[in-house]
Amino acid sequence: KSFSGADVYKNVCMSCHTSGAAGAPVIGNGAQWSERLSKGKDTLYANAINGIGVMPARGGVSSLSDEEVKLAVDYILSESN
């Protein structure tokens, strides 16, 4: 079964990207996301897949596919503009 971006966000990403834990950009905060988007969406995808800073690769869920991680990034961006 493949998960939607919203499913992945709610089950994996939400704990840090709702609270801003460890400096995570917060969903809904357009300024925080536009700064990161300025490097290009492919960079955001790569950071989410490979990990960046204290964020583990795939948010710590190694079973997620690249496509599922990208859908979660797209979902966060759609909720943050």
Side-chain angles (χ1 to χ4, degrees):
K1 178 187 184 310
S2 179
F3 295 100
S4 73
D7 289 337
V8 174
Y9 175 77
K10 289 174 186 154
N11 289 292
V12 180
C13 317
M14 193 167 114
S15 57
C16 293
H17 287 287
T18 299
S19 66
V26 175
I27 190 169
N29 185 320
Q32 289 180 340
W33 287 102
S34 62
E35 178 185 324
R36 285 159 175 84
L37 252 181
S38 68
K39 299 172 185 158
K41 196 180 274 193
D42 286 341
T43 300
L44 274 179
Y45 289 153
N47 290 343
I49 290 167
N50 301 314
I52 184 169
V54 296
M55 180 185 152
R58 301 174 199 282
V61 181
S62 60
S63 60
L64 289 175
S65 69
D66 288 2
E67 190 57 35
E68 288 167 328
V69 174
K70 290 178 181 181
L71 288 170
V73 170
D74 290 342
Y75 174 78
I76 290 171
L77 293 173
S78 75
E79 297 293 312
S80 301
N81 51 14

